[in-house]
């Protein structure tokens, strides 16, 4: 499954991609890669191991606490999803 996140206000999908990659080691896909309508979004995947997905969502939570930027709905959904 894929999860789409709205990038923080004032950031491009590439800028947020870079931030996630270099600050919390999360690989994602910038939405603009899917065309102009994808700008402003980022795609995450949950095809990895459950533990890896949970670690990534914990890292997003910590990044949110640090910068208060990420839309909480997607992170909360991912943290509490039952597999």
């Amino acid at each position: 499954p894929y999860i789409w996140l709205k990038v923080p206000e004032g950031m491009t999908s590439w800028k947020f991609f870079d931030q996630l990659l270099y600050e919390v080691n999360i690989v994602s896909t910038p939405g603009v890669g899917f065309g102009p309508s994808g700008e402003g979004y980022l795609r995450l995947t949950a095809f990895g191991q459950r533990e890896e997905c949970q670690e990534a969502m914990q890292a997003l939570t910590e990044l949110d606490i640090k910068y208060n930027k990420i839309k909480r709905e997607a992170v909360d959904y991912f943290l509490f999803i039952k597999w």
Side-chain angles (χ1 to χ4, degrees):
Y2 295 105
I3 303 292
W4 287 87
L5 294 176
K6 181 137 181 67
V7 302
E9 198 170 313
M11 293 184 88
T12 66
S13 57
W14 273 109
K15 179 122 176 112
F16 194 46
F17 163 85
D18 285 339
Q19 183 177 17
L20 290 183
L21 182 62
Y22 294 111
E23 286 192 38
V24 291
N25 299 313
I26 294 176
V27 177
S28 58
T29 306
V32 73
F34 297 94
S37 296
E39 182 53 70
Y41 295 91
L42 193 80
R43 188 177 82 168
L44 300 173
T45 182
F47 285 108
Q49 298 294 320
R50 180 175 191 225
E51 294 78 22
E52 292 171 342
C53 293
Q54 288 174 322
E55 284 177 33
M57 291 303 105
Q58 185 61 43
L60 277 174
T61 299
E62 291 168 11
L63 188 69
D64 182 47
I65 291 168
K66 183 176 179 182
Y67 294 107
N68 195 27
K69 289 184 172 181
I70 302 168
K71 295 291 184 185
R72 296 291 313 166
E73 297 83 23
V75 174
D76 288 343
Y77 170 80
F78 229 84
L79 281 173
F80 299 106
I81 192 169
K82 298 205 183 233
W83 299 19

